[in-house]
Amino acid sequence: MRLFCHVFFLALALRASRSMASSSAGSQDWSSAILIIVDQSGKGDFTKIQDAIDAVPSNNTEPIFIRIEPGIYREKIVVPADKPFITLSGTKAKSTIITWNEGWNTVESPTASVLASDFVGRYLTIQNTFGSSGQAIALRVAGDRVAFYGCRFFSFQDTLLDDTGRHYYTNCYIEGATDFICGNGQALFEKCHLHSVSTNGGAITAQRRESALDNTGYSFVSCKVTGVGVGTTFLGRPWGAYSRVVFAFTYMTNSVAAQGWDDWGDPNKQRTAFYGQYRCYGPGSDLSGRVGWSRPLSVSEASQFVTKSWIDGRNWLRPRPAHFRNFSTLIVRSPNGSG
């Protein structure tokens, strides 16, 4: 059964990729989208976010824009792998909150799981209020070509599971204490604020790259790193032996420990992990106390990590739609007649 599911979802991913390639050739108009409104007061198309997602037909090829009116949505949401091209958008992250309270027991435990490719999240707060007693994912991202704009993510341990695929985060706030950005995605974080609530040496990142041939890793560009104490935060530790994380042009407060990085109790990973820093500033950016197996990057070394080319973003990042079509057009197109 596990092999069947793997093959099934791989087939869906390939189908979405082909659809995206066709769209890139000019067949898809990204300037318009079908609009679905989620409003707890009952004035929209749905009162729950998951109901709106469920209304999108499988193997969707239409840009879908789900606008979420302000409110606290106490629900766990999943964007399935066979529903690409969905945008979930609030108007302000602080007033559009998706919240759940569950420890990481299964892959279904995150507050929000994005399994589909070509997904966009805008102006949302996604949080897991499980607390400090264990792993608790707020957001899992396992689709390819996924972007988040102006969002906020809160938990304590493993806040953001940036699992697989190419991802872009800009102007986002990410808070946690232990490994709160983790996984084996290939991600660019641009102008994001990373805030550690650790008081005893928690790590911001736990990137899981397992092979030198694996083209994954996390790049933080023009970001800000803050924390609740002096020297209480590591920039990262290697979940995978070839863990790869780069910070560039980033402001670091004195919450960053002088050594910068931790080997997770396995000295062998010191030889294979790739941890770099380029033109960062602030009291926590001082390289003089860094562990010897991290590296200050040269211009040529840093160049591959500091632009959207790192995630091939110029080929798939798209602007917000300017025009919207009525939800009824989606119902008509749905093979079930009702979405």
Side-chain angles (χ1 to χ4, degrees):
M1 177 61 73
R2 186 173 298 175
L3 177 60
F4 170 80
C5 291
H6 176 75
V7 173
F8 176 69
F9 286 120
L10 178 59
L12 290 175
L14 288 172
R15 185 180 301 174
S17 296
R18 293 188 186 111
S19 175
M20 184 62 181
S22 175
S23 298
S24 299
S27 62
Q28 183 65 66
D29 178 13
W30 296 111
S31 67
S32 66
I34 293 172
L35 177 65
I36 302 175
I37 298 174
V38 178
D39 189 339
Q40 290 179 323
S41 71
K43 296 179 181 179
D45 300 301
F46 298 95
T47 58
K48 293 184 177 181
I49 300 168
Q50 189 62 53
D51 288 346
I53 296 169
D54 291 345
V56 178
S58 295
N59 305 315
N60 169 61
T61 59
E62 294 278 352
I64 306 294
F65 194 95
I66 300 176
R67 192 180 77 202
I68 306 169
E69 296 301 316
I72 298 175
Y73 293 82
R74 302 185 188 280
E75 58 177 305
K76 190 161 52 174
I77 67 169
V78 177
V79 183
D82 64 342
K83 296 190 178 186
F85 308 116
I86 290 177
T87 294
L88 293 182
S89 179
T91 52
K92 291 183 179 180
K94 290 185 177 181
S95 61
T96 309
I97 301 169
I98 305 170
T99 184
W100 199 250
N101 181 342
E102 186 173 343
W104 186 6
N105 299 313
T106 67
V107 293
E108 288 81 23
S109 66
T111 301
S113 297
V114 177
L115 311 181
S117 296
D118 301 293
F119 173 89
V120 176
R122 292 180 177 273
Y123 314 121
L124 303 168
T125 290
I126 301 173
Q127 64 186 27
N128 191 325
T129 60
F130 185 72
S132 60
S133 58
Q135 299 162 294
I137 301 168
L139 172 65
R140 178 191 176 203
V141 185
D144 193 24
R145 301 182 299 269
V146 173
F148 287 89
Y149 299 85
C151 292
R152 305 191 307 160
F153 311 120
F154 294 86
S155 187
F156 186 85
Q157 183 173 350
D158 302 340
T159 303
L160 171 58
L161 176 55
D162 188 87
D163 202 356
T164 59
R166 293 166 292 175
H167 310 141
Y168 178 65
Y169 305 83
T170 183
N171 292 298
C172 291
Y173 176 89
I174 308 167
E175 180 178 295
T178 305
D179 307 331
F180 62 92
I181 303 174
C182 58
N184 195 25
Q186 182 179 2
L188 174 62
F189 297 81
E190 196 167 38
K191 299 178 181 178
C192 292
H193 182 177
L194 318 176
H195 182 67
S196 173
V197 294
S198 170
T199 59
N200 59 355
I204 294 173
T205 66
Q207 207 279 330
R208 201 178 186 177
R209 184 168 173 253
E210 299 282 3
S211 165
L213 301 177
D214 195 354
N215 192 28
T216 62
Y218 298 154
S219 176
F220 298 88
V221 179
S222 301
C223 292
K224 178 168 66 173
V225 177
T226 60
V228 297
V230 177
T232 57
T233 302
F234 292 110
L235 297 173
R237 58 179 184 166
W239 189 5
Y242 287 81
S243 180
R244 180 162 60 176
V245 180
V246 168
F247 284 85
F249 307 108
T250 290
Y251 176 77
M252 301 179 183
T253 66
N254 61 6
S255 62
V256 177
Q259 58 267 47
W261 310 88
D262 179 72
D263 65 11
W264 212 329
D266 185 354
N268 290 326
K269 292 181 178 179
Q270 295 180 13
R271 298 195 301 268
T272 52
F274 184 101
Y275 289 153
Q277 194 170 309
Y278 179 74
R279 296 188 64 180
C280 294
Y281 60 105
S285 68
D286 187 358
L287 293 171
S288 62
R290 292 291 191 256
V291 293
W293 44 277
S294 68
R295 64 190 75 189
L297 301 179
S298 66
V299 174
S300 59
E301 287 175 323
S303 62
Q304 67 172 307
F305 299 104
V306 298
T307 70
K308 293 181 178 67
S309 296
W310 159 241
I311 52 169
D312 303 316
R314 300 192 187 280
N315 294 324
W316 57 268
L317 291 170
R318 59 186 188 270
R320 181 184 185 276
H323 308 286
F324 297 96
R325 306 192 297 281
N326 192 279
F327 174 49
S328 62
T329 63
L330 178 64
I331 297 176
V332 171
R333 290 172 184 268
S334 169
N336 298 325
S338 62

